[in-house]
Amino acid sequence: MPRYKTKTNKKEVIIMEKTPTVVPKEKPPRPKYNMWQSAWYMLRLSIREKEKKVPILCTATALLAVASNLISLAITPVILGAVENRSPLGTLFGLIGIFVLSGMVVNAAAEYVSVNSLYGRITVRTAIITKLNTKMATTSYPNAEFDEKFLKMQAKAQQAVSSNSEATEAIWNTLTSLLQNVLGFLVYLALLSSVNPLLILVVTGASLLGYFINKPLGEYGYRHREEEGKLSKTLMYYFTCAESAGMAKDIRLFGIRPWLEELYAKTLKAYQAFHRRAHNVYIWGSVADLVLAFLRNAFVYAYLIRLMLAGNLSVSLFLLYFTAAGSFSGWVTGILNTLLTMHRQGLDLSTVRECLEYPEPFRFEEGESLEPDPDRAYELSLEDVSFRYPEADKDILSHISLTLHPGEKLAVVGLNGAGKTTLVKLLCGLLDPTHGRVLLDGRDIRDYNRRDYYRMFSAVFQDFSLLAVTIAANVAQTEDSIDMPRVRDCIGKAGLTEKIESLPKQYEEKMCRDVYENAVMLSGGETQRLMLARALYKNAPFVMLDEPTAALDPLAEANLYSKYHEMTRGRSSVYISHRLASTRFCDRILLIEDGRIAEEGTHEGLLAKGGRYAELFEVQSRYYRESETPSQ
């Protein structure tokens, strides 16, 4: 095959004469549940949530709507028929009164039912919100941390529960409308049974054609739900950044407000463009409906006018059939349009259910139970462990083998990005190795209920969370049955007693000003000490400290080191730091470099060895010596 060469940006490009093969687009994922399964799920959920009145009131609403329609249909032909038959004036006014009173009663009942059904629908949607929040809070850590498929699905599911108009609540209106249209269709079908069946076939056929045109168009949103979910998540992220108290200083000092606004505006523009594309797709379905409705109604009206002109219909019957034929068309169209709406809502509900049922890589209740004993001597080890994050081109940790002996204090040091925090997450069971095993007393931790295994650890990570509760509750991680002597003891060991007891309400001071206006504000170092107190309160067999002194000044850090033995007495502990001087009190030090254990030993032994640890220690100590030299 002939080909030609050219150069662009110093790269050789081969241009083929033949048109390149078009790679077929990947088929969009099919929903796990269809619309009927989704509707049945909502019905079952309403019963489980003790809101049986929701489907009952939906049925009542549909019946009342059909009754109101029949009253409107019959009133004019009946009164016109009475006039044609020269009925007495009293009879005429009596008929009008009956219809008016019936309409008032039916409409009042419909309004009452509508208002009272709202609260139950909100309760059912709230139950789904609770399920989604519980899923996010209890799912396996890798799902919540870096599983993009789950995170996009979760964003789309959260959108589906975000308002009354979303699928998890609007489905009740759709089911009501479907029932209403089906009942109306059956009633009007019986009413028009004496008319030419061709009339009914034309109306039904045109409506079905419109349905099959609109059905694939209605799936556009589901096929592109990941794109929409990503944009929605990004928008919410920038919005949260703008109002975050944690970013307030950066926004002002670095002047990043215009940058944030630009990023938000670009994402919003992309989000709006997505919805414009979706609406452009949907509008073609509306055009098809308009054309089909015109042709359908033209045939119906022409046929009925012909019957009237031929003298086969009285004026009152003409009016009845004329109105009934139009309404019959509306019932058929209503059924099919409702099915389209229900199909789209079913896609959203399927996404919600798929999110709730997303597979868990860890074993929980099905795993073997484990009851931590803080007084027992446990041994924790890594056996030829490697770990690689999704989409990464190499392992962050490679073939690590180590044993944390009972009561041992282990320090893990290394440069940023060496894998120190990943190592702790593997030990804690937050991550499973991509190769090798994590063993507790020789047993693979994957055999255990992972939630039970988590109870084996007290940990302080670099990023931590404070709840809008009291200081005591933040330490105890509960508001019930708080052991206050123990809280005070842990606060004391963490070196925070003087600060807390200087506050007006002491341990009962509220935290988090996002919720409480007068909440106490602790400094970064004080907050880190509070997290240490929380870790001590848990009294787990293992203590994991990931840079616990990062926000402390040198004096506070030295004070904490002096208490470290007391704080972790009788328990195994792993201490991560990039400050090598802070590791001298540990029994053993590991230097992690290039994903492997580069060196291992005591502080003095590693310095005597003169290797990489000694080199890094010399660099750090020289920096501190230079920084302490008075300026000349």
Side-chain angles (χ1 to χ4, degrees):
M1 181 187 301
R3 61 183 183 178
Y4 308 94
K5 293 183 179 179
T6 184
K7 287 189 176 180
T8 304
N9 296 331
K10 299 182 180 181
K11 292 183 180 179
E12 185 179 57
V13 180
I14 298 177
I15 304 176
M16 311 296 293
E17 268 193 335
K18 185 178 178 181
T19 303
T21 305
V22 178
V23 179
K25 291 184 178 180
E26 185 178 347
K27 290 185 178 180
R30 293 181 60 84
K32 184 177 180 180
Y33 300 102
N34 60 42
M35 62 183 184
W36 300 111
Q37 291 171 318
S38 296
W40 180 240
Y41 170 79
M42 293 299 291
L43 288 170
R44 294 199 318 270
L45 183 61
S46 68
I47 294 172
R48 285 199 300 269
E49 295 299 320
K50 299 181 181 179
E51 290 292 346
K52 297 179 182 178
K53 65 176 181 287
V54 174
I56 294 173
L57 292 177
C58 285
T59 303
T61 300
L63 291 171
L64 290 168
V66 173
S68 178
N69 184 275
L70 289 175
I71 291 171
S72 299
L73 172 70
I75 184 170
T76 302
V78 169
I79 292 174
L80 185 59
V83 171
E84 285 181 325
N85 295 329
R86 299 180 183 279
S87 299
L89 192 60
T91 303
L92 192 61
F93 280 115
L95 288 172
I96 294 174
I98 290 172
F99 277 108
V100 171
L101 182 61
S102 299
M104 289 176 60
V105 171
V106 168
N107 289 334
E111 184 65 22
Y112 175 83
V113 169
S114 175
V115 170
N116 282 275
S117 65
L118 177 63
Y119 305 106
R121 297 177 184 187
I122 293 175
T123 299
V124 176
R125 178 165 64 93
T126 302
I128 299 176
I129 293 173
T130 301
K131 288 176 180 288
L132 286 172
N133 290 341
T134 301
K135 176 69 174 182
M136 198 61 189
T138 60
T139 191
S140 301
Y141 182 78
N143 287 350
E145 179 71 6
F146 47 69
D147 189 327
E148 284 299 318
K149 181 180 178 182
F150 173 77
L151 293 174
K152 290 177 182 177
M153 188 179 292
Q154 188 262 346
K156 185 67 175 176
Q158 289 290 356
Q159 182 181 344
V161 297
S162 60
S163 70
N164 305 89
S165 61
E166 296 295 344
T168 47
E169 188 172 331
I171 185 68
W172 298 112
N173 290 331
T174 306
L175 291 172
T176 301
S177 178
L178 179 62
L179 180 59
Q180 173 185 330
N181 283 287
V182 169
L183 291 174
F185 171 81
L186 295 175
V187 171
Y188 278 68
L189 183 64
L191 181 64
L192 294 174
S193 60
S194 59
V195 184
N196 192 334
L198 180 62
L199 188 70
I200 299 174
L201 289 175
V202 168
V203 172
T204 306
S207 300
L208 285 172
L209 181 59
Y211 172 77
F212 288 113
I213 290 174
N214 276 278
K215 185 176 183 296
L217 299 179
E219 294 180 347
Y220 180 88
Y222 181 83
R223 292 197 302 269
H224 298 82
R225 68 191 189 283
E226 289 193 0
E227 177 185 353
E228 183 183 14
K230 183 178 180 180
L231 290 170
S232 177
K233 182 180 177 182
T234 306
L235 269 179
M236 182 55 65
Y237 169 74
Y238 289 135
F239 180 81
T240 304
C241 285
E243 66 172 11
S244 168
M247 288 198 66
K249 296 187 294 293
D250 292 337
I251 289 174
R252 287 156 178 78
L253 292 177
F254 292 97
I256 63 175
R257 181 181 62 82
W259 183 34
L260 274 177
E261 289 176 346
E262 180 186 0
L263 292 171
Y264 183 85
K266 286 181 178 179
T267 308
L268 180 61
K269 185 177 180 181
Y271 187 76
Q272 291 171 335
F274 170 84
H275 280 281
R276 279 196 297 272
R277 292 197 304 272
H279 291 151
N280 288 338
V281 171
Y282 297 147
I283 201 171
W284 286 111
S286 300
V287 170
D289 278 343
L290 183 64
V291 172
L292 289 170
F294 174 80
L295 297 175
R296 177 190 63 214
N297 291 336
F299 177 83
V300 171
Y301 296 158
Y303 178 76
L304 290 176
I305 290 172
R306 180 186 173 193
L307 287 180
M308 186 192 70
L309 294 177
N312 295 327
L313 286 177
S314 65
V315 175
S316 58
L317 283 178
F318 166 79
L319 183 59
L320 178 66
Y321 287 137
F322 189 87
T323 307
S327 296
F328 181 78
S329 172
W331 293 123
V332 175
T333 304
I335 290 173
L336 298 174
N337 285 339
T338 302
L339 287 173
L340 279 173
T341 301
M342 189 172 167
H343 176 70
R344 287 194 289 267
Q345 291 172 343
L347 298 177
D348 285 340
L349 290 171
S350 180
T351 300
V352 171
R353 295 183 67 186
E354 289 174 50
C355 181
L356 292 174
E357 298 167 4
Y358 198 80
E360 298 290 348
F362 296 166
R363 300 176 71 184
F364 293 112
E365 282 69 24
E366 67 276 13
E368 185 178 332
S369 61
L370 179 65
E371 187 62 37
D373 181 358
D375 297 322
R376 178 182 161 186
Y378 292 95
E379 183 176 270
L380 191 62
S381 57
L382 301 181
E383 183 184 87
D384 194 27
V385 163
S386 298
F387 183 82
R388 178 177 300 189
Y389 286 99
E391 309 303 326
D393 55 359
K394 66 176 184 177
D395 293 340
I396 184 69
L397 293 174
S398 181
H399 300 288
I400 299 287
S401 293
L402 70 90
T403 298
L404 179 61
H405 302 290
E408 182 181 22
K409 294 172 177 56
L410 178 69
V412 181
V413 300
L415 300 177
N416 291 336
K420 303 186 298 294
T421 298
T422 301
L423 179 66
V424 167
K425 288 180 178 180
L426 286 165
L427 289 169
C428 291
L430 294 173
L431 300 175
D432 274 346
T434 49
H435 176 269
R437 299 189 301 166
V438 180
L439 305 174
L440 177 65
D441 286 343
R443 182 83 175 272
D444 195 322
I445 67 169
R446 284 173 283 207
D447 294 340
Y448 294 115
N449 179 332
R450 193 59 62 96
R451 294 192 183 97
D452 286 349
Y453 183 74
Y454 292 152
R455 293 164 57 201
M456 300 286 296
F457 296 88
S458 292
V460 178
F461 290 102
Q462 296 177 49
D463 48 352
F464 42 78
S465 58
L466 289 172
L467 297 180
V469 292
T470 65
I471 290 174
N474 265 291
V475 172
Q477 289 292 279
T478 181
E479 292 190 282
D480 301 321
S481 304
I482 297 177
D483 185 345
M484 285 306 301
R486 187 168 156 196
V487 168
R488 291 188 180 91
D489 179 61
C490 294
I491 288 284
K493 288 179 178 177
L496 204 55
T497 299
E498 183 178 352
K499 171 64 178 180
I500 301 302
E501 295 189 352
S502 69
L503 300 172
K505 296 182 181 178
Q506 298 188 355
Y507 299 93
E508 296 305 312
E509 285 281 0
K510 300 285 190 181
M511 306 196 72
C512 186
R513 287 196 177 173
D514 290 341
V515 178
Y516 298 106
E517 205 171 292
N518 298 319
V520 63
M521 292 284 289
L522 299 179
S523 69
E526 290 166 344
T527 303
Q528 213 154 25
R529 287 177 180 273
L530 188 68
M531 294 300 98
L532 284 169
R534 183 170 74 179
L536 293 172
Y537 186 94
K538 187 178 179 181
N539 194 30
F542 295 99
V543 179
M544 301 288 167
L545 303 177
D546 187 355
E547 301 283 7
T549 61
L552 299 182
D553 58 69
L555 290 176
E557 184 180 19
N559 179 260
L560 183 65
Y561 294 156
S562 67
K563 295 182 177 179
Y564 187 79
H565 284 278
E566 178 188 352
M567 293 168 63
T568 59
R569 183 183 294 118
R571 284 176 285 178
S572 303
S573 58
V574 176
Y575 178 84
I576 292 180
S577 179
H578 66 275
R579 300 176 186 173
L580 304 191
S582 67
T583 62
R584 63 179 70 216
F585 62 90
C586 292
D587 301 318
R588 184 163 48 121
I589 300 170
L590 303 181
L591 173 64
I592 304 294
E593 199 167 52
D594 296 327
R596 296 177 179 272
I597 299 176
E599 295 181 7
E600 179 178 356
T602 63
H603 176 73
E604 292 75 13
L606 290 173
L607 288 180
K609 185 178 178 181
R612 180 62 171 160
Y613 179 91
E615 177 186 344
L616 293 174
F617 181 80
E618 173 60 24
V619 170
Q620 287 190 1
S621 60
R622 185 189 312 133
Y623 168 79
Y624 284 112
R625 288 196 300 270
E626 290 174 354
S627 65
E628 291 171 0
T629 302
S631 358
Q632 300 298 323

